Amino acid sequence: MNAIVQARHLSKSYGNTKALDDVSFDIEAGRIVGLVGPNGAGKTTALKAILGLADFDGELTVNGVDPRRERTRLMQDVCFIADVAVLPRWLRVGEAIDFVAAVHPRFSRDKCNGFLAHTKLAPRMRVRELSKGMIVQLHLALVMAIDARLLVLDEPTLGLDILYRKAFYESLLGDYFDADKTILVTTHQIEEVEHILTDLMFIRSGRIVLAATMEQVAERYVEVMVNPDRADAARALAPLNERQVFGKSIFLFDGVDRTRLAELGELHKPSVADLFVATMKGTYA
């Protein structure tokens, strides 16, 4: 076990609201972890704590350092892409590259230019001339060209069209990620990242309600499509969720014997989105 992030009894309150409520978790090195939760669940607060941008109660280490006390050292090994990329409007693309190359010893100009080669960005273009999507592309290229041990992505492809979102995740796997790097990603576009995740964490009301590898998720959870005459038998097994599709009921189960479930109907692997909806059921009530 080689955890790059270790959190123990992490808590943070804003007035009477608990953004993080006694949260404990580990993020192992060489993993791609999806942190998923509804708005206001505590995702952003958790990321801010990891990045040394928010104080907290409890214990937290990131790559062996306390983010509150050693942020300069922390940011030598951690990179962050926020949901809103903010760059000075007067800045040229080439100047942005020169600046990051001058301040970060692990920045690769060649990698950055390689990412930008797949875009319409040119060195002389100013930020004020760029579309929102092009600004995001520039920000992604600058950050992904840094050889960081931990990359934190908060809605990284917000504002990009589906073609570039797909290209971004392909590049993330092919050109950035390796066994020495760890990626923590939050997104509302769960379907687009499901195939790259190695681990999954659901957060609700400041608490981690699911923390498992994708292999464990596949072993624990199963959906069963049941005809109306077997629906009551399925309900007797205490499903997590029930939904209707074309006159049939689809039940989601956690840890129930699959041989027994197969007698009720057709078994399916639930998507992360379906699992998320079932886990968060009642959150908006």
Side-chain angles (χ1 to χ4, degrees):
M1 300 286 282
N2 182 23
I4 193 167
V5 178
Q6 290 183 310
R8 297 292 180 269
H9 307 294
L10 207 61
S11 296
K12 175 68 176 179
S13 295
Y14 297 99
N16 294 324
T17 301
K18 284 192 174 183
L20 293 175
D21 188 4
D22 197 29
V23 169
S24 297
F25 60 87
D26 289 340
I27 296 177
E28 301 299 322
R31 311 292 287 180
I32 303 178
V33 182
L35 178 61
V36 186
N39 292 332
K43 300 188 302 297
T44 298
T45 302
L47 296 187
K48 285 183 176 180
I50 290 171
L51 294 166
L53 297 173
D55 200 6
F56 52 84
D57 295 321
E59 299 179 4
L60 176 65
T61 59
V62 181
N63 200 30
V65 305
D66 185 333
R68 294 170 295 189
R69 299 180 176 89
E70 302 175 86
R71 190 164 189 271
T72 299
R73 182 179 167 193
L74 172 78
M75 297 312 294
Q76 295 177 6
D77 295 305
V78 178
C79 280
F80 175 48
I81 299 179
D83 57 346
V84 179
V86 178
L87 294 169
R89 290 178 54 80
W90 50 263
L91 191 69
R92 295 186 188 273
V93 171
E95 292 171 339
I97 296 172
D98 291 341
F99 174 78
V100 180
V103 301
H104 207 296
R106 296 188 182 180
F107 177 78
S108 169
R109 187 183 293 270
D110 289 342
K111 281 188 177 181
C112 183
N113 288 330
F115 293 135
L116 293 178
H118 302 291
T119 74
K120 295 181 179 180
L121 293 166
R124 297 293 297 171
M125 298 175 71
R126 295 187 187 273
V127 170
R128 63 171 174 260
E129 302 169 355
L130 307 180
S131 68
K132 180 179 179 181
M134 294 171 76
I135 294 173
V136 174
Q137 288 174 341
L138 175 57
H139 196 211
L140 294 177
L142 292 170
V143 175
M144 287 179 59
I146 296 173
D147 185 24
R149 289 203 64 202
L150 174 63
L151 176 61
V152 179
L153 307 174
D154 185 9
E155 297 286 352
T157 57
L158 194 68
L160 299 182
D161 63 44
I162 189 170
L163 294 177
Y164 193 84
R165 294 201 304 267
K166 181 176 176 61
F168 167 74
Y169 288 117
E170 289 177 350
S171 179
L172 193 67
L173 285 181
D175 301 324
Y176 182 85
F177 181 70
D178 59 39
D180 296 323
K181 293 182 172 67
T182 303
I183 298 173
L184 175 61
V185 55
T186 72
T187 180
H188 287 94
Q189 297 162 333
I190 305 173
E191 298 88 347
E192 294 187 3
V193 301
E194 179 174 356
H195 70 288
I196 72 170
L197 299 180
T198 63
D199 299 80
L200 188 63
M201 290 197 298
F202 285 168
I203 186 169
R204 179 181 63 195
S205 301
R207 290 179 173 268
I208 301 295
V209 295
L210 173 67
T213 67
M214 293 303 289
E215 290 83 2
Q216 291 169 335
V217 170
E219 291 172 0
R220 281 181 55 179
Y221 298 97
V222 63
E223 283 189 331
V224 187
M225 180 176 287
V226 178
N227 288 323
D229 60 327
R230 306 305 305 275
D232 287 341
R235 294 185 185 106
L237 297 177
L240 293 180
N241 191 46
E242 175 183 351
R243 56 192 175 93
Q244 305 297 318
V245 176
F246 301 126
K248 293 187 176 183
S249 296
I250 297 180
F251 295 91
L252 176 65
F253 292 94
D254 176 9
V256 179
D257 181 70
R258 296 187 181 223
T259 302
R260 190 175 183 184
L261 294 177
E263 297 174 354
L264 298 175
E266 186 177 345
L267 303 187
H268 297 279
K269 176 185 175 182
S271 68
V272 171
D274 288 335
L275 181 58
F276 175 76
V277 170
T279 304
M280 301 296 157
K281 196 172 183 179
T283 298
Y284 302 102

